[in-house]
Amino acid sequence: MKQTLTIVVPVYNEAETVDLFYAEVKRVMSPLSSRVQTRILFVDDGSEDETKAIISKMSEVNEDVGYLSFSRNFGKEAAMLAGLSEATGELVAVMDADLQDPPSLLPEMIRRIDDEGYDVVCTRRKTRNCEPLLRTFFTNCYYGLMSRISKTPIINGARDFRMMTRPVVEAVLSLGEYNRFSKGLFSWVGFKQSWIAYDNVPRSAGESKFSYKKLFYYAADSVLSFSTAPILGTAMLGLLFCLIAFVMIAVIIIKTVVFGDSTNGWPSLACIVLLVSGVQMMGIGIVGAYLSKVYMETKKRPLYIIKEKNVKTEQPQKNVQKNRVF
Ligand code: UDP
Ligand code: MG
């Protein structure tokens, strides 16, 4: 009986890369084909280019390709979740389509799971060459901050690229939260993990889909999902300001008693009022950010809507369903 592997690939405007990706995975996995049955499950995240047409055609021609297509762009996190929910393999891998996650690592990942008893094999970039320096700088700051404020380890350079056994996939899927930060969730579920480090690889074609703005929101979401430190930090800041105020009150009282009343000092007073009200507004903003997350959780909206799909299971079969709403 062959082992089954489903490779989940979120794609958004990747018309230039999906063919290259498929060819490379085929090339790497064909020597293992006698014992591993590999299926590729593309998740089209509402692409506006030809991606949907290409993967749909690909799935008609190739028995080992399936796809899901969203009604709009819901983001990579939602695409990964949809892929994991639909994947049927005993092993499930998550990979980007642009070959920045080298398919050549797949056989080693399978070996570590089969021979060394690991449940998850994760990957990490050792270097970030080929990436803009500014992006590398902000990324390093972000991971530095996360390592201090989150109890769940978030490894610098960790990729979403990983291979999991079925129990790990089920564990990740059992986490029903709306605000999903997969790198954190993968880490949170635990299991026996092995890491592979590799040098950064440039994109095979096309451009990154993550602008600085998107990355900022991604980072902010992950902080709100995996840490309550900003709330505690603001409370501590408030406490510090109270202590400073008490000391200043004491100084002013003593000065007035000793030197008499004086109206000097109103500019400094204005600055203090501005500073304190600024800190208060920041505090309200941080509490509001958490509250907005709770608000989104209570709505229980679906994380994605599948417009069209052709998902294949290990027993080759076609299962085309159109306009299915989750
Ligand atoms: N992606 C997606 N939805 C999005 C943005 C990206 O499914 O809204 C996919 C994209 O097609 C690619 C993967 O996520 O397969 C990683 O994106 P990208 O290579 O642009 O990110 P980077 O490597 O620059 O971080
Ligand atoms: Mg990429």
Side-chain angles (χ1 to χ4, degrees):
M1 188 74 176
K2 281 192 195 177
Q3 199 173 25
T4 52
L5 164 69
T6 308
I7 302 177
V8 172
V9 192
V11 283
Y12 176 55
N13 294 345
E14 297 284 1
E16 291 167 84
T17 63
V18 279
D19 282 323
L20 295 169
F21 175 82
Y22 180 64
E24 181 61 10
V25 170
K26 280 296 262 192
R27 191 188 65 76
V28 168
M29 293 308 289
S30 57
L32 279 76
S33 60
S34 57
R35 58 184 188 88
V36 183
Q37 188 178 45
T38 308
R39 303 234 167 266
I40 297 175
L41 177 59
F42 288 108
V43 185
D44 167 38
D45 186 12
S47 300
E48 291 114 34
D49 66 356
E50 295 304 301
T51 306
K52 205 335 258 324
I54 296 172
I55 57 176
S56 162
K57 190 103 207 284
M58 216 190 252
S59 76
E60 277 167 25
V61 181
N62 302 291
E63 235 356 286
D64 54 358
V65 177
Y67 77 92
L68 308 173
S69 180
F70 286 174
S71 60
R72 66 168 172 86
N73 179 243
F74 282 90
K76 187 185 172 188
E77 291 291 329
M80 284 195 290
L81 176 67
L84 291 180
S85 312
E86 294 284 342
T88 51
E90 295 155 53
L91 300 178
V92 180
V94 180
M95 294 181 83
D96 291 357
D98 56 7
L99 294 180
Q100 285 196 289
D101 296 334
S104 55
L105 298 180
L106 289 169
E108 171 62 11
M109 291 171 138
I110 298 176
R111 193 195 65 75
R112 289 195 190 186
I113 289 177
D114 288 348
D115 302 348
E116 295 179 14
Y118 285 103
D119 301 301
V120 195
V121 183
C122 320
T123 60
R124 183 175 72 77
R125 283 195 291 202
K126 279 190 284 191
T127 53
R128 286 184 180 274
N129 44 356
C130 322
E131 255 189 27
L133 279 178
L134 196 63
R135 183 168 165 170
T136 307
F137 171 74
F138 283 130
T139 311
N140 286 339
C141 292
Y142 163 75
Y143 280 108
L145 176 76
M146 278 307 266
S147 65
R148 279 180 189 86
I149 64 173
S150 169
K151 287 190 194 121
T152 307
I154 315 283
I155 310 282
N156 191 352
R159 304 280 297 167
D160 289 322
F161 177 29
R162 62 195 59 222
M163 189 180 286
M164 295 165 269
T165 54
R166 182 88 338 239
V168 182
V169 178
E170 297 303 329
V172 172
L173 290 175
S174 73
L175 306 175
E177 57 206 82
Y178 182 85
N179 298 288
R180 293 188 84 84
F181 170 57
S182 291
K183 274 184 197 146
L185 299 181
F186 288 140
S187 172
W188 188 88
V189 295
F191 290 91
K192 198 176 168 204
Q193 301 189 351
S194 172
W195 286 83
I196 300 179
Y198 65 94
D199 287 320
N200 191 31
V201 185
R203 245 182 177 273
S204 57
E207 282 177 2
S208 171
K209 308 297 174 302
F210 284 92
S211 59
Y212 281 104
K213 189 174 153 201
K214 253 189 172 179
L215 282 173
F216 174 76
Y217 282 120
Y218 178 69
D221 272 353
S222 66
V223 171
L224 296 177
S225 292
F226 273 86
S227 174
T228 48
I231 291 191
L232 192 68
T234 322
M236 298 307 267
L237 200 65
L239 194 68
L240 181 73
F241 273 58
C242 285
L243 289 177
I244 294 172
F246 282 131
V247 173
M248 283 170 69
I249 289 168
V251 169
I252 288 166
I253 291 173
I254 293 166
K255 254 177 91 180
T256 311
V257 169
V258 176
F259 302 107
D261 191 17
S262 163
T263 48
N264 288 342
W266 69 266
S268 52
L269 203 63
C271 292
I272 291 166
V273 169
L274 264 180
L275 181 70
V276 173
S277 54
V279 170
Q280 277 176 349
M281 278 170 84
M282 192 177 84
I284 293 170
I286 289 173
V287 175
Y290 281 95
L291 197 65
S292 70
K293 294 286 166 199
V294 177
Y295 175 59
M296 291 310 288
E297 294 283 348
T298 55
K299 284 188 183 216
K300 300 242 177 296
R301 276 190 194 155
L303 279 152
Y304 53 84
I305 294 172
I306 297 179
K307 190 173 145 206
E308 202 177 309
K309 70 178 184 175
N310 180 4
V311 178
K312 309 200 176 147
T313 57
E314 299 77 60
Q315 289 76 41
Q317 63 172 55
K318 284 212 168 110
N319 174 22
V320 185
Q321 293 181 25
K322 291 210 167 188
N323 300 330
R324 179 159 170 205
V325 176
F326 269 57

